[in-house]
Amino acid sequence: MDRHNMRNSIHCLFLIIFIVFLSLVGSSVSAENRRPKNVQVSLRAKWPGTSLLLEAGELLSKEWKDIFWEFIDAWLNMESDSEPLTAKHCFQNIVKYGHSVLVEPLASLFEFSLSLRTSSPRLVLYRQLAEDSLASFPLEDETNSEYVPGDSAGVISTSPKSNVGKCCWVDTGSSLFFEVSDLLSWIRMPSDLAVDSFGMPELFDFDHVHFDSMDASPVVILYGALGTGCFRDFHVHLADAAKRGRVKYVVRPVLPYGCEEITSPCGAVGTNDSLHLGGYGVELALKNMEYKAMDDSMIKKGITLEDPHTEDLSQEVRGFIFSKILQRKPEMTAEVMAFRDYLLSSTISDTLDVWELKDLGHQTAQRIVHASDPLQSMQEINQNFPTVVSSLSRMKLNDSIKDEIIANQRMIPPGKSLMALNGALINIEDIDLFLLVDMVHQELSLADQYSKLKLPHSTIRQLLSTLPPSEANSVRVDFRSTHVHYLNNLEEDVMYRRWRSNLNDLLMPVYPGQLRYIRKNLFHAVYVLDPASICGLESIDTMISMYESNFPIRFGAILYSSKLIKKIEENGGEIPLLSVGEDNFHIEDDISSLIIRFFGYIEENHGTQAAFEFLSKVNRLRSASEEPLEETLEVSNVEGAFVETLLSRVKSPPQDILLKLEKGTEFKEMADASSLFVYNLGLSKLKCCLLMNGLVFEPTEDAVINAMNDELPRIQEQVYYGHINSRTDVLEKFLSESGYHRYNLQIIGDGNIKKRFVSLSASVLGSESVLNDINYLHSPGTVDDLKPVTHLLSINVSSKEGMKLLREGIRYLVGGSKRARVGVLFNTEYDAGSPTSIFVKAFEFSAASFSHKRKMLDFMDKLCSIFEREYMFKLDIESASSFVRDVCELAGSFSLPVEEYKAALSDFPVDLKKHFDKVSHFLYRQLGLDYGGNAILTNGRVMVPVEGSSFLSHDLVLLESVEFEQRIKHIMKIVEEVDWQDVDPDVLTSKFISDIIMFVSSSMAVRERNSDTARFEVLNSKYSAVTLNNENSSIHIDAVIDPLSPSGQKLSPLLRVLWKWIQPSMRIVLNPLSSLVDLPLKNYYRYVLPTMDDFSSVDYSVYGPKAFFSNMPLSKTLTMNLDVPEPWLVEPVVAVHDLDNILLENLGDTRTLQAVYELEALVLTGHCSEKGHDPPRGLQLILGTRSMPHLVDTLVMANLGYWQMKVSPGVWYLQLAPGRSSDLYAMKENEKEGQELTFSKRITINDLRGKVVHMEVVKKKGKEHEQLLPSDEVLEEKNKENLNTWNSNLLKWASDLIGGNEHSKKRKGALQENRAGGRHGITINIFSIASGHLYERFLKIMILSVLKNTPRPVKFWFIKNYLSPQFKDVIPHMAREYGFEYELITYKWPTWLHKQKEKQRIIWAYKILFLDVIFPLSLEKVIFVDADQIVRADMGELYDMDIKGRPLAYTPFCDNNKEMDGYRFWRQGFWKEHLRGRPYHISALYVVDLVKFRQTAAGDNLRVFYETLSKDPNSLSNLDQDLPNYAQHMVPIFSLPQEWLWCESWCGNATKSRAKTIDLCNNPMTKEPKLQGAKRIVSEWPDLDTEARRVTAKILGDDADTHEAITFSEKASGVSDTPEDMESKSEL
């Protein structure tokens, strides 16, 4: 058939279909109502809009700090040009500047981030600081005559109000200046007057400090906005003052309220509109309507505002592309569009036959791979799946795709999704757009830095995709020496002769906890201890006890004297020499050394067993003394133990030997050497410790067992591979492979001490870098060698600690290091001509000119010695001259040119001060060191020596080894192999390569990334993968995706947006489930991303991004869910329709249903730990600002020590709550070694990613044995006393924190009304949860039924997550009218707890999982009442009931309705066996004794049970009911009398008259809709419903006749036009 005839046939077919369609349409009365409907969703921030221009400055400052100031100057110059006319023009102008200073793709990422509004939270933080600035100053005539503090106090999240008509001010810490003239007068004052006693304002890491500022100058902070005239005026003068060294100039960008009018138009863009956010997903799920939970009274018509969104006619609909049809037949537009609408309304599939489902996953993969734009195809399929599934299932499948997918699934589970960015795995569960953008930005920024370092592109890709070696192999201490005294030897001692020696026994299975008795020294437990300390002597007893119990361990000890080590430290690391006359004093003063000498004597003469017996006797005699807990040990105890030990072993009196040893110096050298050995190992800082094959542990028996269990798998692996056999010395092998001769916890790090890194590559790329000026010192003979490790020492030569560190650095090089060099940065105040300046000049001159000379290090050490001994604290000119002479004399003695030294030391040019200032600027601004502080910087790792302890050359050796092995070695290998293209061969020196390694290793250490990876290359990708190549990109993404999964729905738009903006190379292997039995997706999904259309082309408006669902099914009930980043708490604020039950055919003439959500708060989460103990369950925490420390509170769970609070962007302070928590505990600084305690922890929230805080607490001295949660009796006594001391607003949370005190005012008003209404007595607290308009209707009826039957005050607690905007509008008015209190509460689902996917199951979980943390800590008891329950009794009776000390009280299911026996699952099978006679309770009504619940950790136990059971999809089918019934044996339940809960389904009508509450239980037999059942079962229900709807209508201003509506809804169910029939249409 030719092409012409084919075209005619198609036209004929189209006309036939079209005529059939028109006949259908002609017979339809409501064709217009069948037109497709749309849904539009947006999400706005709770805080007011922020300036796009200021956001751009914050974004640019992330690239490097100085670019912020360049942007300000450039924009001030651009403002004089013609002013842009629209928001889009402004956006384009800002982006144009970004493209001028950033390279691609960083410039594109900047543009995308700006449209995403990622920096808005930073500006909200500045607003908070601006509020604090204004509120902290009283009215002062001379500085601020018009300022009224009340104008700004308390408004944290709205724009600050400044001095009337003023939009900028300067804060100096003691004054505020609103006028430039006042500021200039202050600047001209003498500097000693400018910095007054009030102190300077606090600065933060995120602050913008002007690059010309001197760190010692007084701080001035300018609050103002780029674009205002006052900002320009202040900025010009302050920048000039900074250059002259008068001020340290800081800008905090703030546009105060009311200043939008006077700023430049672009400066105001974004401030007059709500901030609409992107970066989240919206789901419209097809809802199961088995029980028809739809409210017939809420069907509204023609209310929602129309959306201007136009429909996309280019999309294919059932094979037709209507844009092309309309081009050909424009005269038939109306008919063609009607035909399109008909097709759209009939395309939705939610069921397919099993044979159609079988290959659906493979067919989807084929459609995606063969598409011209695979990423777009994947997104269109999984985001509109119910619409496209029919066409997918009819597609012919290519076997090669199916075969490849099945082959890949031998290596990866079907349906599994994975994603890696440059080789590092990303957690798909946690990924969101903001996190992904930050990760990509980090990689692109590094690539940009490396390209500026002249590294080739191939090397950059290799570096970015290289993962550092795992730190799993812990650092071992190499303690091999003669100072180890072994108690036993498993290979030689007679007592172990019967044990087997076959190492293969290690590989045999044994019972858990069973030890393996093998005659081989596999485990060496060596205790390092001071034998005069309690800890040391108790460790000896532990060791001997385990030895006598035949543990298969070789035990040993290394002994030292703490007092001698202290003297060694004071003597510069050497044993002090003592004269003979001091010996007796020395013996009395140092008992430890005496014990070691006695031990040595006994060991030499009577064996090791006797020596350890002596130590054990010392402890026994100490314990028997009058004060056994005293730290001091009496000499008499030692002498007694010595005599007792020798008594049976020697013939002569032991006292003679004792006197001889005490008076002589026998064994003294051995004792001193042993202490010196421990000092050099660095283990004396731990007091006493255990070395298990060199690994460091606590010296307890439990620690020994744990250490064995940790070590055993390593030994088993080595045995399995043949690396350890019967001849291998295990200790020798382990320590020679990974042993260090030094232990320093600060260097090695553990989980609690966070290593700190800074990037040096960013520093060297700025203007003249300090790092380019450094002259390095080297070990003799290695000047020209490559040095992968660089130690930079920051030295304050005015301090003894600084000089000590400098000399240790020199000694470290003298000791010889082939792979390290040392550079010195003098962190000292410049004073021309002083001895200090002369020393610095002499040191730097020597390093620059003579570092190659062999004796140079000795010369420098002598130079340090002379300066430290004679000139360190002298400031006069005579001393300076004398010092110059001494330096020249010293130079002469080392054959150095004296005249050159004289010339160098007599000349102090002006640029020397500049050099000092540059060094100071680098150390404070870029490295964040303290002023005048000493530090070590090793390839970017910052080490600040702990106060009171010295940092020795041994520590530098350890630091070099650890950093080289863990971070530098693999980078060095890559850099060494580089084929340098654009570099001058003369520049390619060992110094150049060493610098590159330093820069790269430092920046690689700063980046945050997962160390896990996957071998994506093993998967086949010829037929079933999408490969997008871009050789020029430094980003490579590997992904394995199931396109028909929730993670596929989320990942496809994320991958597509990355491809659009940065074009990374991608390899996406499709991994769908191979054999489906049900539809994998039953929802529509949209991921919300910003576009240029968000910015107006006609005015300065910013609309913000929205989710738009076009042509949604009319007759299917949909439920809306938001898929937001983990830290976001969102709630709907504008929604006329029921978002839980969306039935679009009820919209009437309205084409688009609209919903607006609000980001109510960000969640601050954390984990609290206590070293050596379980998490401190029940610890109370508070969070607030400096001025208001208690805004939010919570308690710590036992589960992982988890806690959470709600916050807005700002600077917050976390503290332990007053009372028992702060009496018992103190917070510990996690980042520092030792026991530094802190009063509060500062937390900065300045982005949309929230924050996870790890905090450690320690018990206060003397409180170590007290319990945080007291016993029952103490609790009851104290409860009444403390009730008023604890703030009752645990989860008043962000309603106050972000948006003022609106809720509290409403509650207060309701409370006053309440008392006036005549309700008296103890308040009854009732808790409930509802979702959807129908259940909110039930909830109002429940409230009325409670109030009509309960005379006492009532307070209702509602979980706000799922409440509609209408209900939240109605409830405050209802509370006032009926005289009750209410509070809206919420809790974000913790990330570590197994998540539910269905909305209904999430709601069930909220009923039971978070009862201990969701209510204020002051609340003692609460009753849960289901929303669909009607109360007929006084709830006070239930509230006061004695529940016999149980945390929970439920009503058992009644059993008198015999028709339902077949549905009573708890009487058979698993439940019958599990309950063992206990009743199965119904969860519609229950009482929670919160005091008992928290005290018994019931919440923690329930969460543990839930976590265990919920991963099985067949468990917890009725989650809120099954969980407490399952856990009854751990969380006991009190059974309430049966009359407290009656429901027709289970109880029957015989007991209905006695019912105190009636619940509208679902009936699994009849599946009767709730509304129908309510009217039939409960006689008072229609009247209560009428009253509730009358109140609602009055509040909302609805004029509908409620009586008429009720009558309508009560029509017989058989009538065809009832709402019940309307609901039945929406059933799946």
Side-chain angles (χ1 to χ4, degrees), residues 1045-1108:
S1045 67
S1047 53
Q1049 285 182 319
K1050 184 175 175 180
L1051 287 176
S1052 53
L1054 290 176
L1055 292 172
R1056 198 169 165 214
V1057 79
L1058 284 184
W1059 179 251
K1060 176 185 174 183
W1061 289 99
I1062 63 165
Q1063 289 84 47
S1065 58
M1066 293 190 193
R1067 182 172 175 268
I1068 302 164
V1069 177
L1070 299 176
N1071 183 35
L1073 288 167
S1074 285
S1075 190
L1076 292 166
V1077 292
D1078 192 11
L1079 283 180
L1081 295 172
K1082 294 182 180 178
N1083 66 354
Y1084 295 88
Y1085 187 88
R1086 298 288 182 271
Y1087 200 81
V1088 184
L1089 294 164
T1091 67
M1092 278 303 291
D1093 293 337
D1094 300 336
F1095 301 93
S1096 171
S1097 300
V1098 293
D1099 57 20
Y1100 292 104
S1101 301
V1102 180
Y1103 308 124
K1106 296 175 178 64
F1108 193 80

Side-chain angles (χ1 to χ4, degrees), residues 165-190:
K166 303 292 182 187
C167 295
C168 312
W169 68 94
V170 169
D171 187 345
T172 67
S174 57
S175 309
L176 290 187
F177 298 111
F178 292 91
E179 298 291 347
V180 175
S181 55
D182 295 339
L183 173 68
L184 292 174
S185 301
W186 179 82
I187 289 173
R188 291 188 197 107
M189 288 166 60

Side-chain angles (χ1 to χ4, degrees), residues 389-454:
V389 63
S390 295
S391 67
L392 279 171
S393 66
R394 292 193 295 271
M395 193 169 71
K396 189 174 187 311
L397 182 62
N398 183 333
D399 285 340
S400 57
I401 287 182
K402 183 176 180 177
D403 294 344
E404 184 171 279
I405 290 171
I406 291 169
N408 281 338
Q409 289 175 347
R410 295 191 189 104
M411 293 173 276
I412 188 165
K416 173 82 172 173
S417 291
L418 289 173
M419 183 170 160
L421 177 66
N422 282 343
L425 280 179
I426 296 172
N427 186 341
I428 285 179
E429 296 299 317
D430 297 339
I431 193 65
D432 60 66
L433 181 60
F434 300 95
L435 177 58
L436 188 59
V437 166
D438 282 353
M439 293 169 81
V440 168
H441 177 266
Q442 177 181 256
E443 300 295 297
L444 292 177
S445 183
L446 287 176
D448 181 42
Q449 291 171 29
Y450 297 163
S451 66
K452 288 174 181 171
L453 292 171
K454 308 291 188 194

Side-chain angles (χ1 to χ4, degrees), residues 220-481:
V220 295
I221 300 175
L222 170 58
Y223 291 94
L226 183 60
T228 57
C230 60
F231 180 87
R232 176 191 288 271
D233 296 340
F234 274 115
H235 169 72
V236 168
H237 291 291
L238 285 170
D240 178 62
K243 281 177 191 166
R244 291 186 287 113
R246 297 293 297 162
V247 297
K248 185 175 182 178
Y249 169 32
V250 179
V251 160
R252 288 181 181 162
V254 174
L255 185 63
Y257 178 73
C259 293
E260 301 88 352
E261 305 301 323
I262 66 164
T263 188
S264 64
C266 283
V269 168
T271 58
N272 296 318
D273 307 286
S274 295
L275 178 69
H276 283 89
L277 299 167
Y280 61 95
V282 183
E283 171 197 64
L284 288 180
L286 299 170
K287 188 171 183 182
N288 184 341
M289 294 299 291
E290 189 179 10
Y291 289 97
K292 296 178 182 151
M294 182 173 279
D295 183 7
D296 60 17
S297 70
M298 298 302 285
I299 297 170
K300 306 266 182 184
K301 293 183 181 177
I303 291 173
T304 312
L305 294 172
E306 274 304 320
D307 184 76
H309 216 96
T310 57
E311 297 182 36
D312 182 7
L313 299 178
S314 63
Q315 287 187 3
E316 180 191 301
V317 179
R318 299 292 277 274
F320 294 102
I321 298 176
F322 281 88
S323 59
K324 293 184 178 178
I325 295 171
L326 286 172
Q327 283 172 11
R328 292 173 185 170
K329 299 282 182 182
E331 70 279 3
M332 297 182 70
T333 299
E335 292 86 348
V336 170
M337 287 301 291
F339 177 48
R340 179 176 180 273
D341 292 346
Y342 172 75
L343 290 178
L344 283 166
S345 66
S346 59
T347 55
I348 310 308
S349 298
D350 47 54
T351 56
L352 283 179
D353 293 320
V354 174
W355 58 86
E356 291 179 289
L357 283 168
K358 188 165 68 75
D359 286 325
L360 193 59
H362 301 146
Q363 290 164 320
T364 303
Q366 181 172 310
R367 171 78 65 87
I368 292 166
V369 170
H370 290 167
S372 58
D373 184 343
L375 294 178
Q376 181 180 351
S377 174
M378 177 158 62
Q379 184 173 335
E380 285 176 358
I381 289 169
N382 60 29
Q383 302 206 348
N384 300 291
F385 187 68
T387 304
V388 300
V389 63
S390 295
S391 67
L392 279 171
S393 66
R394 292 193 295 271
M395 193 169 71
K396 189 174 187 311
L397 182 62
N398 183 333
D399 285 340
S400 57
I401 287 182
K402 183 176 180 177
D403 294 344
E404 184 171 279
I405 290 171
I406 291 169
N408 281 338
Q409 289 175 347
R410 295 191 189 104
M411 293 173 276
I412 188 165
K416 173 82 172 173
S417 291
L418 289 173
M419 183 170 160
L421 177 66
N422 282 343
L425 280 179
I426 296 172
N427 186 341
I428 285 179
E429 296 299 317
D430 297 339
I431 193 65
D432 60 66
L433 181 60
F434 300 95
L435 177 58
L436 188 59
V437 166
D438 282 353
M439 293 169 81
V440 168
H441 177 266
Q442 177 181 256
E443 300 295 297
L444 292 177
S445 183
L446 287 176
D448 181 42
Q449 291 171 29
Y450 297 163
S451 66
K452 288 174 181 171
L453 292 171
K454 308 291 188 194
L455 283 164
H457 182 70
S458 58
T459 304
I460 292 172
R461 285 190 73 155
Q462 190 182 356
L463 283 168
L464 292 179
S465 59
T466 302
L467 294 171
S470 170
E471 290 187 34
N473 293 332
S474 304
V475 171
R476 296 178 189 268
V477 178
D478 189 348
F479 60 85
R480 292 171 293 174
S481 75

Side-chain angles (χ1 to χ4, degrees), residues 145 1246 1333 1494:
S145 58
N1246 60 1
H1333 287 189
R1494 292 181 183 123

